[in-house]
Amino acid sequence: MKKTIFVILAVFAATVAYAQQPFQEGTTMANLGIGVGTNLGGLGNARPAISIAVDHGFWDVGGPGVISLGGYLGNTGYRYNGMGYTSKWNYMVIGVRGAYHYNGFSSVPELDLYGGLMLAYNIVNYSYDGSGTPVANSYGSGLGLTGFVGARYFFTDNFGAFAELGYGVSALNVGVTFKF
């Protein structure tokens, strides 16, 4: 009888611990962030970088981790006012990303640590208004492969905060995250 109760309690504890992990196979999370710093060129006054990233857990890799696939969309811009002219740059980054989410911290089940790669297309729009010769536009649209690392911490089952370092529209993104 004691063994049966012990086995039932052990299975229950393992199930509860597993259920509290923030990122699992089948989980979908969305980050809404504001960027600090930039990886993109530009002069003058920068518009705040905003981004949204969505990750969905596809593969449990046996051990404390899940591999996700998802998407990324970010936007920022710059405006430079010279003597008699204004130059503007607008950057839109659209990407597909994959990440490994480490779930080995059983003592902190609210924490999701992850790192991955993103294949993205950077769309650059440049405009010039004024007299004289336009500032040289050496920033072109293009495809790139980049890396990122991040952490999410959940305050409730479905709401938390995140910070992410890497290439996107900014070097550091911070904001809120939602689990579906």
Side-chain angles (χ1 to χ4, degrees):
M1 181 68 173
K2 286 183 182 180
K3 286 183 182 181
T4 304
I5 292 172
F6 176 75
V7 169
I8 291 171
L9 287 175
V11 169
F12 177 74
T15 303
V16 169
Y18 180 75
Q20 290 178 349
Q21 293 298 328
F23 204 91
Q24 302 170 32
E25 185 177 349
T27 299
T28 301
M29 293 189 187
N31 294 342
L32 179 59
I34 296 176
V36 179
T38 185
N39 295 316
L40 304 170
L43 301 170
N45 299 322
R47 184 172 69 239
I50 57 170
S51 66
I52 185 166
V54 177
D55 296 314
H56 180 77
F58 278 97
W59 300 283
D60 186 354
V61 291
V66 174
I67 294 178
S68 68
L69 292 176
Y72 177 90
L73 179 64
N75 181 263
T76 191
Y78 299 90
R79 186 167 101 178
Y80 180 75
N81 294 319
M83 297 187 74
Y85 71 92
T86 300
S87 291
K88 294 179 185 176
W89 294 264
N90 184 61
Y91 297 92
M92 178 73 67
V93 177
I94 302 170
V96 176
R97 59 195 239 154
Y100 174 78
H101 299 259
Y102 180 73
N103 289 334
F105 295 115
S106 58
S107 61
V108 189
E110 304 87 4
L111 183 63
D112 174 31
L113 296 178
Y114 59 94
L117 297 173
M118 178 172 70
L119 179 63
Y121 192 75
N122 182 6
I123 303 166
V124 181
N125 290 313
Y126 172 74
S127 65
Y128 176 85
D129 182 31
S131 60
T133 306
V135 173
N137 179 19
S138 62
Y139 308 107
S141 299
L143 192 64
L145 181 66
T146 61
F148 59 91
V149 294
R152 295 178 177 117
Y153 186 84
F154 284 85
F155 305 111
T156 69
D157 286 342
N158 299 317
F159 176 74
F162 84 98
E164 189 172 290
L165 288 168
Y167 186 84
V169 291
S170 59
L172 171 65
N173 279 305
V174 296
V176 294
T177 189
F178 304 94
K179 181 167 61 170
F180 305 99

